[in-house]
Amino acid sequence: EAGYDVHAVQEKWLPVWDEIAPFRSGRPDDARPKKYVLDMFPYPSGDLHMGHAEAYALGDVIARYWVQQGFNVMHPIGWDSFGLPAENAAIKRGADPVKWTAENIEQQRSSMRRYACSFDWDRVLHTSDPGYYHWNQWIFLQMFERGLAYRKDSNVNWCPNDQTVLANEQVVQGRCERCDAVVTKKKLTQWYMRITDYADRLLDDMSQLEGAWPEKVLLMQRNWIGRSTGAHVHFAIEGRDEPVTVYTTRPDTLFGATFFVVAADSDLAAELAAGTDAQADFEAYLETVKQVSEIDRLSSERVKTGVFLQRYAINPVNGERIPVYAADYVLADYGTGAIMAVPAHDQRDWEFATAYGLPIVQVVQSPDDFDDSAAAYAGDGPAVNSGFLDGLRKADAIERMVAWLEEKDLGTGAINYRLRDWLISRQRYWGTPIPIIHCPSCGEVPVPEDQLPVVLPPTDGLDLSPKGQSPLAAAEDWVNVPCPRCGGASRRDSDTMDTFVDSSWYFLRFLDPSRTDVAFDPAQAREWAPVDQYTGGVTHAILHLLYARFFTKVLHDMGLVDFEEPFTRLLNQGMVGMNGATMSKSRGNLVRLSDELETNGVDAVRLTMVFAGPPEDDIDWADVSPSGSKKFLSRAWRLSGDVTSPVGVDVTTGDLALRRATAKAVDEATKAVESFRFNVAVAKTMELVNAARKAIDSGVGGGDPAVREAAEAVAIMLSLVAPYTAEEMWERLGHEPTVALVGWPSVDPALLVEDTVTCVVQVAGKVRDRLEVPPSIGEDELRELALASPAVVASLGGAGIRTVIVRAPKLVNIVPA
Ligand code: ANZ
Ligand code: ZN
């Protein structure tokens, strides 16, 4: 018999599957219950790599499993095709982004087909398609009308040398990633989405996801939203009419507020400094502050700096004059941008007070073993030096102080969020144009719905390199339009949207990507959505998932969907690396997927990915064995060739031990798949192949119906992971394609009940005990059981043992010394 030719098998089955289209979902006459299984869609930036191979192998196990379980599974794929990869190719090589994107998509699509992903090829989409981003624009306008999309000034990172806006990731230690110039800040008017309006719902609805999303992801989302409770306290400032409000989580420490700090880069700081002797110092300081990143500013390691503004605030609780500083450890856009500093109980304030010789007053009693002179005490304890709070512990003191502030109109209880509104403006070409027209008389005017989509102008003649302004602003024919309201000369908004907008609702567009009249059909959404199972990388644990959750709630409030959470269950797969490092071209440790597929074939690569460990664990490609996978698949294939009983033979007459082994393997693999332990399911399949092989070789023979039953179960279980091998086995077993649709093997529960045999235990030839043991029990285990029998121990009466003769499972004979 010739060996198993993986490449020939691939060539053979691909066209057959194209013909059958086993994973087409939502045919009108399809009575199966529905399930929506989604893998995060890729950027079309080159061919598929090892990371894709892992992600799509795992997602495929889930989708194919639910199909075998009789569900009408929607498992679509698309491309997140706006964004930097295409734009950079355009800038570097003059490639037309439209063409570049189409070519990359075509390459990935053909690789995905060969990789046997169970995608529904009738539902593809890509986000740079005007038919798609039309609906980004429509949703944006809905949000604009509801006040959820708005413009405001914001400080962006700016490279004065390249005249370029930089993303945070492009600022390396305060310098431009490309030219090393010191990065400064520049004010630009930008579009935002008001996600902060949804902060509470985004937090509270996480209770629905408990247990169904990885705990780690829920925690990251919670921290990102960062809800804290405390108080707003109003401080009078000498020489200023209006008081300044601070946000504090510790109103109980108000008696210990010995100075006051405003964010150096806030408007308030500039106002307070104006006209004082400190103004020049302040302005010099501000220049240095502009060069520090937000992360560095918050770092506890950094030496605290600031400038005394020659002004005083009044502590409302005791009337004390406290100095006002401008410093960079207070952020302009968090809380109110001003703080009451309590150096005894806040470490950052403590460091600042120590550096500037400011008083430190204990207002919470620290434990005896705490050294107050070395650090701030942030823990709980009775209030001291705090008038009417003295003796109260933290929670009570906070409550009392808030009541006092409210009564005196000096403050209120308050909730604060770390979450900021979502800045969606990009001064980039390759994104969704913002559908707003700026009219000198009417202001911000939405593009009328019947004029959507606003399609990107061609790149010809445009300079796409990043500048302070979008390249679209230079497309004169495109940008100059009459105002839809008054007809006057106006300009289109030239910014494009953050690509995270595209991916915030794409799962709904899959319902019918060709619809031209609506973004999606609410009736179809009711049938299919939310997504039952979402799979993707943990790199998207915060932003993408948070934005998609936000969009879903907005669409819910618009009455377009009846659910509030988009992804019912979430699986984050690990990463594929090499010797502990992430693979990358620059590290020179890149394993090329195409090479692996050439050497071992699609199935072996998929099987290796799935078998490497639990899906959420990282895979070290140096530790796994695709050639071992290939060998196993060949063994499975050989098994199907050894079956000589006919299709449909009555399996109940087959060898009972093998039938039990099959039932057990299927049962355990089922439980493993449902709990995401796909590697265990593979292990069970391997065990079953071994058991069947043993049965054939040990005299049960290939003609026994139990061997057919086992081989068919192997083929079906393998269809989730190694579809080519499974199909080939299925055919060799005498069936028509496709094994993907035959249904998960059912298990006769009677076969799972392990029956027992009676084992006789003799001591010196006399029967002393009878044990009920499984027929498959091993010698060692049986010896141990027999020696532990109380009857045996008693009859030995402390005597030593000369030998133990074990004839598993029926007899143990103990010979005393
Ligand atoms: C007085 C105080 C006393 C504070 C104390 C803490 C401990 P979270 O929990 O992160 O919300 N803060 C407020 N606004 C700030 C800003 N714009 N930049 C930097 N720090 C700011 O933190 C809230 C606490 O962080 C606030 O409570 C304030 O310091 C500080 F023993 O006020 B606290
Ligand atoms: Zn107008």
Side-chain angles (χ1 to χ4, degrees):
E1 186 178 61
Y4 177 39
D5 180 344
V6 294
H7 294 291
V9 167
Q10 287 173 203
E11 295 320 310
K12 173 176 165 190
W13 290 115
L14 273 175
V16 177
W17 293 339
D18 286 347
E19 186 76 26
I20 301 173
F23 303 109
R24 190 176 288 156
S25 52
R27 290 181 170 101
D29 54 347
D30 199 328
R32 296 173 298 172
K34 295 182 170 63
K35 227 179 230 308
Y36 189 174
V37 176
L38 185 62
D39 301 328
M40 290 181 187
F41 63 167
Y43 293 106
S45 54
D47 202 356
L48 299 186
H49 54 63
M50 295 295 279
H52 295 123
E54 186 203 9
Y56 296 129
L58 295 171
D60 227 35
V61 171
I62 302 174
R64 287 173 174 270
Y65 174 73
W66 290 115
V67 170
Q68 293 287 26
Q69 283 289 5
F71 285 83
N72 180 4
V73 172
M74 177 161 90
H75 185 210
I77 191 70
W79 284 271
D80 197 6
S81 53
F82 268 142
L84 289 184
E87 184 152 321
N88 287 340
I91 294 167
K92 281 197 198 117
R93 288 175 260 136
D96 173 8
V98 174
K99 206 166 148 258
W100 185 92
T101 301
E103 284 166 6
N104 279 289
I105 287 178
E106 216 19 70
Q107 187 179 30
Q108 290 198 353
R109 183 208 297 262
S110 118
S111 296
M112 285 167 171
R113 170 177 169 268
R114 173 160 303 267
Y115 199 60
C117 297
S118 64
F119 296 134
D120 181 344
W121 292 110
D122 290 345
R123 291 183 188 270
V124 288
L125 59 79
H126 63 278
T127 56
S128 57
D129 177 357
Y132 184 87
Y133 68 74
H134 178 161
W135 301 105
N136 280 347
Q137 294 174 338
W138 182 81
I139 293 171
F140 174 93
L141 290 178
Q142 302 305 306
M143 294 175 77
F144 179 72
E145 267 170 34
R146 287 166 175 74
L148 293 171
Y150 69 96
R151 281 208 308 170
K152 73 171 180 196
D153 283 349
S154 106
N155 276 318
V156 295
N157 301 312
W158 177 252
C159 173
N161 182 43
D162 291 341
Q163 293 285 299
T164 295
V165 176
L166 299 175
N168 279 335
E169 305 80 63
Q170 296 172 304
V171 182
V172 180
Q173 292 180 327
R175 289 172 180 274
C176 172
E177 181 186 61
R178 311 170 216 195
C179 74
D180 215 34
V182 171
V183 173
T184 60
K185 292 274 155 66
K186 182 181 162 118
K187 253 196 185 134
L188 283 185
T189 307
Q190 310 247 42
W191 286 98
Y192 285 82
M193 285 192 174
R194 213 180 288 280
I195 190 172
T196 53
D197 270 14
Y198 285 74
D200 278 326
R201 283 164 69 186
L202 288 166
L203 263 182
D204 297 341
D205 289 351
M206 263 185 261
S207 61
Q208 297 177 32
L209 308 174
E210 215 70 64
W213 279 34
E215 192 46 49
K216 190 170 75 178
V217 174
L218 294 177
L219 186 69
M220 284 159 88
Q221 297 237 333
R222 274 195 195 96
N223 288 341
W224 190 262
I225 298 166
R227 178 163 66 191
S228 69
T229 55
H232 281 141
V233 185
H234 313 311
F235 280 71
I237 308 279
E238 287 181 0
R240 190 179 196 268
D241 295 339
E242 290 291 308
V244 173
T245 301
V246 303
Y247 173 71
T248 175
T249 46
R250 297 291 305 273
D252 59 313
T253 63
L254 187 49
F255 282 93
T258 55
F259 59 103
F260 192 94
V261 187
V262 296
D265 52 341
S266 63
D267 294 344
L268 178 65
E271 179 216 301
L272 292 178
T276 68
D277 292 347
Q279 185 164 2
D281 282 354
F282 166 74
E283 280 163 5
Y285 177 64
L286 184 56
E287 281 313 306
T288 66
V289 169
K290 281 186 178 163
Q291 297 166 11
V292 184
S293 76
E294 178 159 322
I295 297 165
D296 289 340
R297 285 175 62 165
L298 284 175
S299 157
S300 53
E301 246 97 284
R302 235 175 112 254
V303 175
K304 300 281 173 295
T305 58
V307 173
F308 175 43
L309 294 181
Q310 315 273 355
R311 309 275 304 241
Y312 290 88
I314 306 299
N315 185 334
V317 81
N318 56 16
E320 269 174 32
R321 287 177 92 217
I322 58 177
V324 178
Y325 283 79
D328 68 359
Y329 78 97
V330 172
L331 300 178
D333 65 352
Y334 186 71
T336 66
I339 67 156
M340 60 183 230
V342 183
H345 305 293
D346 181 292
Q347 187 59 25
R348 294 160 300 177
D349 298 344
W350 188 89
E351 281 159 19
F352 193 87
T354 308
Y356 288 83
L358 295 160
I360 300 176
V361 177
Q362 305 295 322
V363 291
V364 177
Q365 183 67 57
S366 58
D368 290 344
D369 58 358
F370 188 86
D371 181 2
D372 293 317
S373 68
Y377 175 65
D380 200 353
V384 293
N385 300 324
S386 291
F388 59 90
L389 297 184
D390 278 356
L392 295 179
R393 298 183 71 86
K394 187 163 131 186
D396 291 340
I398 289 175
E399 204 182 305
R400 178 74 67 85
M401 181 57 89
V402 170
W404 185 89
L405 290 167
E406 288 181 348
E407 190 191 302
K408 299 260 188 292
D409 254 350
L410 290 168
T412 52
I415 295 175
N416 194 59
Y417 302 88
R418 203 175 305 269
L419 183 68
R420 302 274 76 109
D421 274 344
W422 172 14
L423 197 175
I424 62 153
S425 278
R426 295 292 179 273
Q427 290 73 47
R428 288 289 196 162
Y429 171 81
W430 193 234
T432 304
I434 289 182
I436 293 286
I437 291 167
H438 298 282
C439 167
S441 22
C442 309
E444 294 163 353
V445 182
V447 173
E449 271 186 35
D450 61 5
Q451 290 170 30
L452 297 180
V454 177
V455 178
L456 283 170
T459 51
D460 319 336
L462 293 183
D463 173 10
L464 300 189
S465 59
K467 292 175 294 293
Q469 214 186 18
S470 167
L472 294 178
E476 294 299 334
D477 293 346
W478 181 87
V479 85
N480 291 304
V481 285
C483 167
R485 234 167 247 166
C486 71
S490 303
R491 285 176 71 81
R492 288 190 191 282
D493 197 293
S494 57
D495 283 357
T496 53
M497 297 182 201
D498 181 0
T499 56
F500 274 117
V501 170
D502 312 352
S503 52
S504 289
W505 67 281
Y506 76 116
F507 60 98
L508 289 164
R509 186 67 185 168
F510 279 127
L511 299 172
D512 187 350
S514 62
R515 274 304 265 261
T516 54
D517 55 336
V518 285
F520 60 90
D521 177 347
Q524 281 183 329
R526 262 194 301 282
E527 277 181 48
W528 286 104
V531 173
D532 294 290
Q533 174 64 54
Y534 198 30
T535 304
V538 75
T539 44
H540 290 301
I542 301 181
L543 295 183
H544 162 56
L545 292 172
L546 194 68
Y547 295 150
R549 296 181 61 222
F550 163 56
F551 261 52
T552 301
K553 291 175 200 303
V554 172
L555 295 171
H556 170 268
D557 294 353
M558 287 167 58
L560 295 179
V561 297
D562 57 2
F563 50 88
E564 294 206 46
E565 285 295 334
F567 311 122
T568 307
R569 284 220 305 182
L570 176 69
L571 173 66
N572 285 136
Q573 85 273 357
M575 308 235 288
V576 191
M578 193 70 182
N579 294 320
T582 315
M583 286 193 279
S584 72
K585 272 194 201 127
S586 57
R587 281 205 176 84
N589 64 350
L590 200 69
V591 177
R592 282 164 42 124
L593 178 60
S594 53
D595 295 345
E596 295 295 312
L597 295 177
E598 188 50 43
T599 317
N600 297 302
V602 167
D603 280 356
V605 171
R606 289 176 55 129
L607 185 92
T608 304
M609 293 291 186
V610 176
F611 188 49
E616 57 278 0
D617 285 8
D618 292 342
I619 298 176
D620 193 329
W621 202 251
D623 289 349
V624 294
S625 171
S627 61
S629 300
K630 190 178 173 185
K631 274 194 202 116
F632 160 68
L633 291 171
S634 172
R635 272 167 69 76
W637 172 84
R638 207 151 58 76
L639 177 63
S640 62
D642 289 347
V643 172
T644 55
S645 62
V647 171
V649 69
D650 177 10
V651 292
T652 58
T653 63
D655 177 71
L656 193 58
L658 183 57
R659 294 206 69 213
R660 284 184 195 283
T662 303
K664 195 160 164 252
V666 172
D667 182 57
E668 288 176 354
T670 309
K671 289 177 184 142
V673 172
E674 298 218 354
S675 58
F676 294 153
R677 290 172 299 123
F678 309 142
N679 56 321
V680 174
V682 170
K684 296 299 159 194
T685 312
M686 290 174 168
E687 281 172 30
L688 183 54
V689 170
N690 290 343
R693 170 58 49 205
K694 222 167 136 190
I696 294 172
D697 294 349
S698 70
V700 170
D704 190 291
V707 175
R708 166 169 287 278
E709 187 183 30
E712 292 191 347
V714 167
I716 298 170
M717 291 195 283
L718 270 186
S719 76
L720 311 188
V721 185
Y724 292 105
T725 308
E727 197 71 89
E728 188 68 16
M729 285 180 74
W730 198 241
E731 186 188 51
R732 281 158 65 92
L733 286 164
H735 296 284
E736 293 291 311
T738 170
V739 67
L741 294 176
V742 296
W744 196 245
S746 56
V747 172
D748 177 356
L751 291 171
L752 292 176
V753 185
E754 266 222 75
D755 58 356
T756 55
V757 293
T758 306
C759 173
V760 172
V761 185
Q762 298 181 340
V763 178
K766 281 210 180 92
V767 176
R768 294 296 181 183
D769 202 357
R770 287 172 210 278
L771 303 171
E772 292 300 309
V773 298
S776 58
I777 192 163
E779 273 192 13
D780 292 343
E781 199 185 335
L782 189 55
R783 176 185 295 115
E784 218 174 290
L785 265 184
L787 292 174
S789 150
V792 170
V793 173
S795 71
L796 280 170
I801 295 167
R802 184 136 61 94
T803 55
V804 181
I805 300 151
V806 183
R807 299 266 178 274
K810 295 213 164 122
L811 177 75
V812 178
N813 195 357
I814 298 166
V815 185

